[in-house]
Amino acid sequence: MTSNPNSLAARDVASLIHPYTNLEKHKEAGPTIIAQGDGVYVHDDSGKRYLEGMAGLWSTSLGFSEKRLVEAAVRQMEKLPTYHIFNGRSTEPSIELAEALLKIAPKSLSKVLFANSGSEANDQAAKLVWFYNNALGRPEKKRIIGRHRGYHGITVFSGSLTGLAHNHVDWDLPMGPVLRTDCPSHYLYGEPGETEAQFTDRLVKNLEDLILREGPETIGAFIAEPVNGAGGVIVPPKDYFPRIQAVLRKYEILMIADEVICGFGRTGQMFGCDTFGIEPDIMTVAKALSSAYLPISATLISAPIAEAITAHAGKLGNFAHGFTYAGHPVSSAVALETLKIYEERDIIGHVAEVSAHFQAKLRSFLDHPLVGEARGVGLIGALQLVTDKASRTVLPAAAGIGALIQNAAMEKGLIVRASPDAVYFCPPLIITRAQVDELFAVVAEVLDIGLAEAQRQGLVGAGRQAAE
Ligand SMILES: Cc1ncc(COP(=O)(O)O)c(C=O)c1O
């Protein structure tokens, strides 16, 4: 990093705490300052261009220069830059957005409660489960089942629903009424010789056993992402969700679908619920709701929940919940324009077309020595990195190969996300076939860099033999 204390980089290090960053290392490494956006590309402050293979944080569906969204924000800013929807006040954009959402949402859903982030949408989903069960006179039915490797956000309770150790260790989480069940990755958690169908049977049985052991009368809901994002882009077996949901229904446990990443076309249909046969009682959306141009999220609920909480609020004299910026008119106007663009440009049709190419390209890496599994659906995917394909032994975190691959990609003008043992892809939904080729051409180069390092460390192939 430059030694000039007036540089943006030095000022960054002196002033900012960065989310999800090794803060100690950041003092030396400094920031990558993104200065401009252009379609699926972003440019740093030195002018270097990157293909944004993660759509920012799995979010910028329409790319980084959609003028219509800018104009929608300006129009609304000029008319009514801010207002709230507390105490029965309302605004036209928030009403229109709620209607537009319900038009495309799964039929089981009938009302919309706005918030500002994915974490807040999941947090208030949990609160609604509690309020609903109090309304029904079931004060015990409060626990929520999350899954290992699920990601639902980072607030005290959404962070507790999240099933990732690094979000809990030394953060004093999980906190509150949370139970945990299996992650549905057959590749990672299937037992030797177990078929995908047997694996699903086992997970369904484990869930039912957990419910019976803990007492169905104590469990209010189950929360899941249709495809786990941050926990590893885990695509569940085909009949996993319908089977899980049958168990939940048997014990009157609500299904919360966290569509914060999957919503609005990511999996090839409007919602992950459509792709995976989920009929949610509650659904949360954020990110691509506004192409991430402004913060906005929503929790959609079924008619029985809406009716029960309405009656209960009537009894108490208030629905005492809400965020100042929930249903913000400018965010709502931008989200509404985003939904219009999805429809007018048939973004779902585009995803259906380009994703066939994207998924084929992804799977073409299966013969790479470092790749154990290529998984994905629609325009989301991952390559699982292994030291041994037969035993499915994943790369050890200490090898640092995920980070090496991510940094090498960045040097070559591609932004992807890597965990220690996988590389993730989630490009803007507007990506073209040629840009998919451009993305994976860099992936081919950086996988080879990762392989050379794995060999040098004696983890795979030639290196391993040499080390033996
Ligand atoms: C599936 C899922 N749910 C919830 C969240 C939390 O959203 P936010 O970061 O807007 O709070 C995320 C964020 O990545 C997510 O991927």
Side-chain angles (χ1 to χ4, degrees), residues 6 372 381:
N6 295 323

Side-chain angles (χ1 to χ4, degrees), residues 61-239:
S61 46
L62 294 175
F64 295 86
S65 52
E66 180 49 64
K67 285 272 182 307
R68 278 180 59 178
L69 299 186
V70 178
E71 287 159 8
V74 171
R75 272 198 309 275
Q76 186 57 42
M77 274 278 182
E78 283 171 348
K79 193 172 172 194
L80 179 69
T82 182
Y83 210 70
H84 64 85
I85 55 173
F86 282 35
N87 302 320
R89 315 285 159 75
S90 203
T91 65
E92 190 174 340
S94 63
I95 297 167
E96 288 196 349
L97 179 60
E99 285 176 347
L101 268 172
L102 291 172
K103 216 168 112 194
I104 56 175
K107 289 194 188 20
S108 52
L109 302 168
S110 82
K111 285 245 165 136
V112 179
L113 179 63
F114 286 117
N116 309 292
S117 67
S119 299
E120 285 180 3
N122 287 325
D123 227 275
Q124 69 182 9
K127 284 184 72 183
L128 288 172
V129 171
W130 301 334
F131 197 67
Y132 168 69
N133 278 307
N134 286 330
L136 296 187
R138 305 192 295 201
E140 298 291 308
K141 206 166 169 63
K142 298 288 168 54
R143 294 200 277 180
I144 301 184
I145 303 174
R147 301 180 305 169
H148 294 293
R149 298 182 77 135
Y151 189 81
H152 302 296
I154 213 65
T155 53
V156 171
F157 198 69
S158 69
S160 297
L161 292 172
T162 289
L164 293 167
H166 63 256
N167 294 123
H168 295 161
V169 173
D170 286 347
W171 292 100
D172 289 13
L173 298 180
M175 198 178 275
V178 179
L179 296 170
R180 199 80 63 201
T181 193
D182 305 289
C183 164
S185 166
H186 176 242
Y187 182 83
L188 293 171
Y189 303 111
E191 285 170 357
E194 191 178 42
T195 65
E196 196 169 87
Q198 290 164 340
F199 173 70
T200 306
D201 287 346
R202 178 159 63 83
L203 265 51
V204 170
K205 180 172 185 314
N206 284 350
L207 177 68
E208 187 156 14
D209 288 350
L210 173 75
I211 292 168
L212 291 173
R213 197 167 57 243
E214 299 292 336
E217 71 286 356
T218 72
I219 303 172
F222 169 92
I223 185 166
E225 304 154 82
V227 175
N228 300 46
V233 185
I234 309 290
V235 183
K238 215 167 138 255
D239 60 347

Side-chain angles (χ1 to χ4, degrees), residues 289-326:
L289 169 57
S290 62
S291 189
Y293 277 36
L294 283 176
I296 183 164
S297 67
T299 306
L300 282 72
I301 58 177
S302 69
I305 299 175
E307 282 156 21
I309 64 167
T310 302
H312 199 53
K315 204 169 111 194
L316 296 176
N318 198 0
F319 180 68
H321 170 89
F323 301 102
T324 298
Y325 305 120

